[in-house]
Amino acid sequence: MSPSRYTLRIEGPDGKTLESKLPSVTEILDKVLAKNGLPDWYYKQAVSGFGTLLGKYGTLPSDLRSLHSLMKSEGLSPYAARDSAAAQGVAIHKAVESLAKGGKPEKFSELTAWWKAKKLKRSLILGAEQLVYSAKHGYAGTVDLVYQDPEMGDTVLADIKTGNLRDSHELQLELYRWAWEERA
């Protein structure tokens, strides 16, 4: 497991500090839920990369190290696809933060259209990249966007996804909701 991004720190009046690392919601879900499609996805990315290299060069290196190096340098490895998707996710999250502050990001017209369809404006935003934690259950996470629904008045916790939706996403939001409600 990667190092925890969240630390709960309590400082007393005597200067003593208590600290505990909190696992993130996604770390918990990754540990408890199998991602059955992940090995298949890596395999498909690799095969697609091999096909692209064969089309371009007509042959592939015979040793694994050279093949891996070539796939990496050409941006065709599964890791390159993963890293590219991660970079896009970071950019989208920055666009959400910009919208929450009243900005108008140039990219991601679908996100901007979603924002307009929801009739969101700065006064309705309760938080972007909002830290939530559950001291009761011992976890933390970061909600992409928290806003007041302009029509229903409900508080909405939104997590923006760039890929296919999975059941684990619903669980992720449920854990965020528990932590959000614990604040009250």
Side-chain angles (χ1 to χ4, degrees), residues 88-142:
Q88 181 181 6
V90 167
I92 286 174
H93 284 90
K94 286 183 181 188
V96 169
E97 285 185 277
S98 173
L99 284 165
K101 293 175 183 173
K104 298 184 191 287
E106 294 175 22
K107 294 182 179 181
F108 310 115
S109 58
E110 289 176 349
L111 176 64
T112 305
W114 172 82
W115 192 272
K116 286 179 183 175
K118 293 286 179 191
K119 300 177 184 164
L120 295 178
K121 52 188 173 189
R122 193 170 181 189
S123 62
L124 297 170
I125 306 305
L126 302 175
E129 294 298 311
Q130 182 70 50
L131 172 68
V132 293
Y133 69 93
S134 172
K136 180 179 178 181
H137 299 292
Y139 66 85
T142 305

Side-chain angles (χ1 to χ4, degrees), residues 2-39:
S2 62
S4 179
R5 294 182 355 204
Y6 303 102
T7 302
L8 182 61
R9 182 177 295 123
I10 302 168
E11 297 180 11
D14 58 359
K16 291 184 181 178
T17 302
L18 298 174
E19 263 188 22
S20 62
K21 301 288 183 190
L22 297 177
S24 74
V25 169
T26 51
E27 286 171 336
I28 293 168
L29 293 175
D30 284 349
K31 290 289 181 191
V32 226
L33 299 175
K35 292 186 176 179
N36 297 330
L38 197 54

Side-chain angles (χ1 to χ4, degrees), residues 41 45 75-87:
W41 179 85
Q45 291 295 317
L76 296 171
S77 73
Y79 305 105
R82 177 202 62 196
D83 294 347
S84 174

Side-chain angles (χ1 to χ4, degrees), residues 1 17 23 43 72 85 93 131 134 136 149 158 170 176 181:
M1 177 162 54
T17 302
Y43 176 78
K72 185 176 179 181
H93 284 90
L131 172 68
S134 172
K136 180 179 178 181
D149 183 289
E170 188 173 346
Y176 288 161
E181 289 176 351

